[in-house]
């Protein structure tokens, strides 16, 4: 198997790395964090100029026709820089729903706007009672003439406070935890009856709690695919977030090794002590194990067999989560007191890794599900 990047892929990686080096220093990031949106519209426009926002869409729809490997390359760089922009919300999640569930008319209306950086999206799915179960949906959508009326509440909608369009799951039929009967709808964030309350998550990113109070949408707002669509797009997001975690881990490891070489105790660099060298070596092993799983995730993202894709993504979540936790925690330990301050990047990597570990299911959730499903390799 050839793991080398193609010429185009290397170009993509280098151009983004350069852009982030110029625009995403730690101090610049702090200013973006403090701004009203919690991220930078200027950087978003630069992403659009670089072609990142149209990346996964078919060329016929106004995109570049790239796949999961290119998303992995981009997300790894974004992880290194701890970017705050709504790339996963708009391009990976919003884009995934459009690619797999939209009609050509819906795509031609929305994809060019995303690619130009003029349309932001967010996935409004999680509810108070649902935890990580994608099929647990209490929000309802009732038929109303040709259209629908949506009623319910969604929580921790990442980048929900700045999104223009929301992808909302709602129950069309059946009981709260039935796998059948889940509808997926495009809802303009400024529709009558939509109320948003924005807040910061523990890693400093933005999210919102959103209430839908008799929100009317027309028939053209519905996407096709139900729960299978949601699961597929969630798996693509798991692959993207896995790659972001690799970028975070790599940067945290580099920072730590630099520190071990610089910080002096007992008249020599603390990195000369074997106990810390062992820990640093363990961090590198964890990073490489996680990287293998991120590559598996990129390869599995387009797997057509839903069960096989799901089982592999659960393994990806478990392994990346376990290794990321170790690398993040060792970063803190080996930096001693300074890792605990907001002025230093180390702690921010652990925070982001912790949030990634919890997005789309934590390790316990996927471990329990995988053991119920018979493990990664199920006998034919
Ligand atoms: C605001 C603040 C609040 C804190 N609150 C708490 C608290 O509530 N509870 C708590 O437990 N800690 C707390 N700490 C952390 C604690 O006070 C120290 O920062 C921590 O013990 C690391 O020591 P150091 O900063 O001197 O690290 P350094 O001396 O820089 O050492 C870096 C790392 O190398 C290790 N190390 C150094 N020399 C050797 C060696 N020869 N062999 C092996 N390892 C070595 C150290 O253990 C450390 O992990 C707090 C720190 C801050 C700044």
């Amino acid at each position: 198997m050839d793991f080398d990047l193609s010429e185009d892929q290397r170009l993509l990686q280098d151009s983004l790395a350069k852009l982030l080096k110029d625009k995403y220093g730690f101090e610049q990031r702090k200013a973006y964090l403090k701004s009203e949106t919690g991220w930078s519209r200027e950087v978003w426009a630069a992403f659009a100029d670089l072609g990142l926002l149209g990346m996964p869409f078919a060329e016929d729809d106004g995109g570049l026709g790239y796949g999961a490997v290119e998303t992995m390359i981009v997300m790894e760089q974004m992880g290194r820089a701890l970017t705050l922009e709504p790339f996963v919300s708009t391009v990976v999640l919003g884009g995934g729903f459009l690619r797999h569930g939209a009609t050509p008319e819906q795509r031609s209306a929305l994809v060019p706007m995303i690619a130009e950086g003029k349309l932001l999206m967010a996935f409004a799915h999680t509810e108070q009672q649902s935890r990580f179960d994608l099929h647990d949906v209490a929000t309802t959508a009732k038929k109303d003439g040709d259209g629908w009326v949506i009623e319910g509440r969604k929580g921790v909608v990442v980048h929900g406070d700045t999104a223009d369009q929301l992808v909302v799951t709602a129950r069309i039929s059946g009981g709260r935890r039935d796998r059948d009967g889940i509808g997926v709808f495009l809802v303009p964030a400024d529709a009558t009856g939509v109320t948003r309350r924005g807040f910061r998550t523990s890693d400093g990113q933005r999210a919102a709690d959103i209430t839908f109070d008799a929100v009317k949408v027309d028939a053209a707002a519905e996407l096709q695919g139900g729960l299978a669509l949601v699961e597929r797009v969630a798996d693509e997001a798991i692959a993207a977030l896995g790659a972001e975690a690799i970028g975070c881990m790599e940067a945290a490891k580099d920072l730590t090794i630099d520190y071990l070489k610089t910080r002096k105790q007992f008249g020599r660099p603390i990195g000369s002590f074997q106990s810390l060298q062992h820990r640093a070596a363990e961090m590198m092993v964890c990073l490489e194990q996680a990287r293998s799983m991120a590559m598996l995730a990129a390869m599995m993202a387009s797997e057509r067999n839903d069960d096989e894709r799901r089982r592999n993504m659960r393994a990806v979540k478990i392994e990346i989560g376990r290794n990321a936790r170790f690398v993040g925690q060792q970063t803190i330990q080996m930096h001693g007191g300074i890792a605990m301050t907001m002025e230093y990047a180390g702690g921010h990597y652990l925070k982001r890794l912790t949030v990634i570990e919890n997005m789309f299911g934590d390790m316990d959730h996927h471990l329990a599900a995988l053991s119920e499903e018979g493990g990664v390799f199920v006998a034919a």
Side-chain angles (χ1 to χ4, degrees):
M1 198 174 281
D2 183 7
F3 286 108
D4 285 339
L5 300 183
S6 70
E7 186 77 22
D8 279 358
Q9 289 169 341
R10 207 183 311 276
L11 198 66
L12 174 69
Q13 188 178 48
D14 293 348
S15 327
L16 180 56
K18 186 177 175 317
L19 174 74
L20 294 174
K21 193 162 177 281
D22 291 346
K23 293 207 183 288
Y24 242 95
F26 191 62
E27 294 305 314
Q28 288 163 303
R29 179 181 183 270
K30 261 195 234 167
Y32 304 152
L33 254 178
K34 281 194 199 133
S35 69
E36 203 187 333
T37 47
W39 51 272
S40 163
R41 290 203 184 260
E42 186 199 330
V43 172
W44 192 248
F47 286 169
D49 288 346
L50 206 59
L52 296 190
L53 308 184
M55 224 175 56
F57 301 104
E59 290 178 54
D60 285 351
D61 291 327
L64 295 180
Y66 284 0
V69 173
E70 285 80 9
T71 303
M72 181 176 82
I73 292 167
V74 166
M75 290 306 301
E76 202 175 318
Q77 295 302 320
M78 293 197 176
R80 287 192 75 98
L82 284 173
T83 57
L84 303 157
E85 284 64 31
F87 185 81
V88 171
S89 302
T90 300
V91 179
V92 177
L93 289 165
F97 279 105
L98 293 179
R99 282 187 300 124
H100 304 305
T103 59
E105 292 74 33
Q106 286 167 324
R107 287 200 302 274
S108 68
L110 300 179
V111 170
M113 287 176 70
I114 292 179
E116 287 170 30
K118 291 183 182 148
L119 180 77
L120 303 171
M121 296 185 75
F123 178 36
H125 176 65
T126 304
E127 299 178 2
Q128 200 171 14
Q129 81 292 339
S130 63
R131 270 193 66 76
F132 300 127
D133 291 332
L134 291 174
H135 57 279
D136 191 326
V137 176
T139 296
T140 55
K142 296 210 167 81
K143 265 269 177 224
D144 176 50
D146 271 354
W148 300 88
V149 176
I150 298 174
E151 189 90 41
R153 277 167 189 273
K154 300 289 182 177
V156 203
V157 179
V158 179
H159 290 117
D161 56 346
T162 45
D164 305 305
Q165 281 276 349
L166 303 167
V167 176
V168 184
T169 48
R171 190 155 285 290
I172 294 170
S173 63
R176 198 192 90 201
R177 289 179 58 82
D178 287 350
R179 289 186 61 85
D180 291 334
I182 295 173
V184 185
F185 300 90
L186 286 167
V187 180
D190 61 358
T192 307
V194 175
T195 311
R196 302 190 275 180
R197 187 185 66 82
F199 56 91
R200 275 187 203 289
T201 50
S202 56
D203 58 348
Q205 299 225 357
R206 298 290 308 181
D209 288 338
I210 306 183
T211 309
F212 298 86
D213 185 10
V215 176
K216 288 189 178 186
V217 289
D218 59 29
E222 195 180 358
L223 298 173
Q224 298 307 309
L227 183 63
L229 170 66
V230 173
E231 289 181 339
R232 183 166 186 189
V233 176
D235 283 347
E236 289 179 353
I238 286 173
L241 291 167
E244 185 184 350
I246 302 305
C248 289
M249 289 165 78
E250 203 160 32
K253 181 263 294 171
D254 290 348
L255 207 61
T256 306
I257 288 179
D258 256 12
Y259 187 73
L260 296 183
K261 289 177 181 165
T262 329
R263 167 84 164 113
K264 289 208 170 96
Q265 272 285 33
F266 314 114
R268 46 186 166 146
I270 58 171
S272 66
F273 295 116
Q274 206 177 30
S275 60
L276 300 192
Q277 289 171 5
H278 285 167
R279 287 188 192 206
E282 195 86 0
M283 282 173 89
M284 292 172 83
V285 171
C286 284
L287 170 59
E288 291 314 312
Q289 279 174 342
R291 195 195 305 280
S292 307
M293 294 310 275
M295 286 177 174
L296 173 71
M299 285 186 283
M300 272 289 151
S302 50
E303 169 62 49
R304 295 238 159 236
N305 181 325
D306 290 346
D307 290 341
E308 193 164 337
R309 193 193 63 237
R310 276 261 85 188
R311 287 197 307 272
N312 275 280
M313 289 303 179
R314 293 195 195 289
V316 164
K317 269 249 114 193
I318 295 162
E319 276 302 296
I320 292 187
R322 197 168 62 85
N323 289 304
R325 194 181 283 194
F326 183 84
V327 170
Q329 290 181 349
Q330 289 304 315
T331 300
I332 300 296
Q333 295 258 328
M334 292 210 276
H335 274 88
I338 68 161
M340 304 177 72
T341 70
M342 291 297 280
E343 288 74 27
Y344 193 70
H348 294 265
Y349 284 110
L350 175 67
K351 286 181 188 186
R352 181 62 192 151
L353 286 170
T354 306
V355 167
I356 290 175
E357 186 194 320
N358 283 283
M359 284 176 82
F360 295 100
D362 63 10
M363 283 189 271
D364 288 346
H365 169 81
H366 286 292
L367 203 52
L370 197 55
S371 59
E372 236 170 65
E373 290 160 7
V376 183
F377 305 107
V378 176

